[in-house]
Amino acid sequence: MARVHFFGGTSLWHYKPALGRQVKGKVLYIKVSQKNYVKRLFITLIAGWFLLVLNPAAAQSSNDIGLTQAERDYLKAKKVVRVCVDPDRLPFDGVDEDRQHTGLSKDYFDIFSRMLGVEMVVPEVQDWNDLISKAKSRECDVVSQINASEKRKSFLDFTTPYFYLPLAVVTRYDRIFVEESLEGAGTQFAVIKGDIAIDKLRNRYPSIVLVEVKNNIQAMELVYDGKVFGYIGAQGAVAFAIQSLNLNKLAVTGSLPLRYELSVATRNDEPLLGSAFEKAILHLDPKEGQSIRDKWIAITIEKVADYTLLWLTLLVLGTVLVVSLYWNHYLAQANRKIRDTLNDLHNVQAQLKDQNRMFKRQSITDALTGIYNRLKLDEDLSYAVKRSERTKSEFSIILLDIDNFKQVNDRFGHLVGDELLKAFSSLLVSAIRKSDIVGRWGGEEFLIICPDTDLQGCGKLAEQLRKRIAEHEFPGKKVLNASLGVAVHQQEEKTDIMIARVDKALYRAKKLGRNRVETG
């Protein structure tokens, strides 16, 4: 756990990575002598000033988001909005030990509170089922993060989604996950009871065997004990749960072409509340939203009360009052020490920026091959769809899978398989155009996004790539072949539909004999 500790204030702040296992036990200290209380006081004040600079969102004022007079009158009369929060879905949603709202959604709702000019309070909720029950009985005005469904629309209105989460799969290290195993004989996967993802999974994988559990802790324990093959949940949230529970045998070993589309839901008997939240979401600053996502997905910031420092600070203040007549004598020396401390703080801030850049790079990079991972590909694909709709330009994608790669692992072992995956990734990077984006989709599958490319052009590129792979000599004089599916984006087509089409094209290439290109 990488931390920076500020000693000398009434609290202790530290930064903790929410994703990745590579950085452990690195602690950056600014330690103040226990003997010099005056210095501790100044460091407390300076550290607080820096924290304010590093969190400018807290100082932002509300802005005009186009509310009608009816909406303004409604909110003025409402005054307080009851926000129901899933207590067990950090880092995205949760409550702390004091029953206060925390997580990524809390930062968004701070912004909504400023925009709408109302106070947000969090009623006590036991679990997700209790949350839905309270929403039905109107004990909640708002649900902070939820997927829309026809059943839920009977008592809730839904805004435009403001956050997207792909589905990830957690297994033990000794089990290899591929998408085909979702419907394997006797294979079971844990899911949270009532999760909207259950319907998505059963629609895409009709034969899947799902074990519904109460929360992610129970799900992780079932996976850890080998009672189920894996756990399917929100990417980022499952990684956070693995680290929080310190389950070293578990890892996120795959992801699925499905995702949560999280909206704010409001009680549908007060439509003005829903229309006001819709306007707040549409007026979110994209940079502020990205800052919130970077904060909670790359690092989690925790505030830990340190009452010893509080008492010491009070003692410092009392001492300063008693010896104030002698202060001028030591002023020059104190100023010099303050300058030294400021320099130390600047150095630590620079190191924190470097660490944050590293965490962000790790969060979008596949650990084995060094190319983009599924999370980054999902973001780039969503951007490509929006750009295509805005500019009316075409783009295409290629989904390719190494043929019979399981036989390579079975015959030569996973170490050889890993080396071949690295070499295969390097070949793809060297073979594509500068404008193309390539990443590991999962297992031995790779995805290439080709901007400003129609179906015919992308098909030619895929065929050239297929030939180059077949003619390439990989480490150990091994020869690999690949099957490729190609699809062009159609106007107003969502990403999951496009992925489903190219996935079917890849499956057709496999079925027709492998080592070929098919279009979808």
Side-chain angles (χ1 to χ4, degrees), residues 337-350:
K337 291 179 179 180
I338 290 170
R339 287 194 298 270
D340 293 341
T341 302
L342 280 172
N343 289 334
D344 290 341
L345 287 170
H346 283 301
N347 292 335
V348 169
Q349 186 181 14

Side-chain angles (χ1 to χ4, degrees), residues 247-307:
L247 300 177
N248 294 326
K249 290 183 180 180
L250 303 187
V252 178
T253 56
S255 55
L256 302 177
L258 299 171
R259 66 180 184 176
Y260 296 95
E261 298 182 354
L262 300 178
S263 305
V264 173
T266 60
R267 52 190 298 173
N268 62 3
D269 60 337
E270 297 184 8
L272 290 175
L273 181 61
S275 62
F277 264 97
E278 175 69 14
K279 290 177 181 178
I281 286 175
L282 293 178
H283 283 79
L284 278 172
D285 184 348
K287 292 182 179 178
E288 195 167 16
Q290 185 62 51
S291 176
I292 294 172
R293 291 190 290 274
D294 288 344
K295 168 186 172 183
W296 284 98
I297 296 178
I299 58 174
T300 300
I301 304 177
E302 298 180 354
K303 186 177 181 182
V304 182
D306 186 343
Y307 296 105

Side-chain angles (χ1 to χ4, degrees), residues 139-252:
E139 295 177 63
C140 307
D141 297 315
V142 173
V143 178
S144 60
Q145 285 189 348
I146 189 170
N147 281 267
S149 70
E150 291 303 318
K151 183 177 180 181
R152 293 169 180 172
K153 286 180 181 178
S154 64
F155 57 94
L156 291 172
D157 290 331
F158 294 87
T159 67
T160 300
Y162 70 100
F163 193 67
Y164 298 91
L165 283 173
L167 286 176
V169 181
V170 175
T171 67
R172 293 191 343 193
Y173 277 121
D174 57 357
R175 293 181 173 179
I176 303 301
F177 169 77
V178 292
E179 189 175 357
E180 289 77 6
S181 65
L182 284 167
E183 298 184 294
T187 305
Q188 296 181 321
F189 290 86
V191 291
I192 305 299
K193 185 176 182 180
D195 195 331
I196 195 71
I198 294 174
D199 292 337
K200 294 176 182 277
L201 289 166
R202 286 178 173 156
N203 288 336
R204 184 175 177 87
Y205 312 103
S207 302
I208 190 171
V209 179
L210 299 177
V211 178
E212 297 187 28
V213 298
K214 182 177 180 181
N215 53 42
N216 59 15
I217 296 176
Q218 185 180 357
M220 296 289 186
E221 289 174 346
L222 290 178
V223 178
Y224 191 87
D225 294 336
K227 295 180 180 179
V228 296
F229 184 88
Y231 162 44
I232 301 174
Q235 187 166 318
V238 295
F240 181 90
I242 290 172
Q243 187 178 46
S244 299
L245 297 172
N246 196 26
L247 300 177
N248 294 326
K249 290 183 180 180
L250 303 187
V252 178

